[in-house]
Amino acid sequence: MNKDHDPEGLAMFSALIEGIRPIKQDKRHFREPLKTKQQVEQQERQLHADSYFSDTYQPLLPVDGPIRWLNEGIDSLELKRLRRGDYQPDLLLDLHGYRQSEAKLELAALIQACVKQQSLCCCVMHGYGSGILKQQVPMWLAQHPKVKAFHQAPREWGGDAALLVLIDIGEQPHRR
């Protein structure tokens, strides 16, 4: 068996590869892969949530009665309007089944969405459950600079398992 000269095998091989061109190498290895839009948005939400919400901060919240809070410099009439249900929430956030870290991200995204969509009021439904989110959500909301006030929601918006939140949307005109 002679490996150097096999004219029949060489002819068959030449016929098989006739017309084939080498593949052009256009891949770039060793480069940081580009992030998708979803990954960038997720990273931005994580950054906002981490920069605003601390789990160790304890704001002064009422011990008895419905949960409520009013930011400094805001008229107390706004809190009364929230309690009466004068503000209708434009956006709703249901946190049932979320972990604390996920709820924190969603809360930050909700506040961003309210500012972006010029929504003055939103509703956060934390539910009853084991009480972790019911305890943490008001503490997180009190830390955010865009939150003017919040109050336990009226019965039609979830009662004591939800909060109505008043958002500072800036100096633009808004509807009530």
Side-chain angles (χ1 to χ4, degrees):
M1 182 173 206
N2 191 355
K3 292 182 184 179
D4 293 336
H5 299 289
D6 185 10
E8 187 178 313
L10 190 57
M12 282 185 5
F13 180 73
S14 295
L16 285 175
I17 64 166
E18 186 176 324
I20 295 178
R21 294 178 308 216
I23 297 175
K24 181 181 175 187
Q25 177 65 21
D26 60 351
K27 302 279 184 201
R28 292 185 182 157
H29 303 284
F30 313 115
R31 198 177 134 190
E32 192 81 22
L34 295 176
K35 294 181 180 177
T36 65
K37 185 177 179 179
Q38 292 170 340
Q39 289 172 327
V40 171
E41 288 174 355
Q42 175 69 21
Q43 187 177 13
E44 185 176 316
R45 282 197 309 249
Q46 179 73 41
L47 177 67
H48 285 294
D50 289 343
S51 62
Y52 289 128
F53 304 134
S54 167
D55 291 328
T56 58
Y57 177 72
Q58 298 288 324
L60 184 59
L61 296 173
V63 179
D64 57 332
I67 191 75
R68 62 199 177 277
W69 178 83
L70 184 67
N71 203 344
E72 293 177 12
I74 305 298
D75 188 12
S76 61
L77 186 61
E78 297 293 333
L79 196 60
K80 186 176 182 180
R81 287 181 181 151
L82 270 178
R83 180 181 53 81
R84 287 189 312 209
D86 289 353
Y87 291 107
Q88 296 294 314
D90 296 323
L91 299 174
L92 305 171
L93 175 63
D94 188 358
L95 296 176
H96 288 91
Y98 280 79
R99 294 184 184 98
Q100 281 191 52
S101 59
E102 296 167 340
K104 202 185 294 189
L105 289 175
E106 291 300 319
L107 198 58
L110 173 72
I111 295 170
Q112 278 183 315
C114 284
V115 171
K116 186 176 182 179
Q117 296 178 14
Q118 300 297 306
S119 297
L120 191 60
C121 184
C122 63
C123 181
V124 179
M125 294 171 274
H126 48 70
Y128 296 107
S130 61
I132 300 295
L133 289 181
K134 186 174 182 168
Q135 178 184 1
Q136 290 292 12
V137 167
M139 292 182 189
W140 293 333
L141 286 171
Q143 297 174 43
H144 201 286
K146 291 286 185 186
V147 174
K148 288 182 174 180
F150 59 82
H151 198 284
Q152 176 181 312
R155 185 175 296 283
E156 67 263 18
W157 293 108
D160 60 346
L163 294 171
L164 284 183
V165 184
L166 194 61
I167 304 292
D168 181 14
I169 58 172
E171 296 298 320
Q172 290 121 9
H174 57 273
R175 61 190 188 285
R176 191 183 303 167

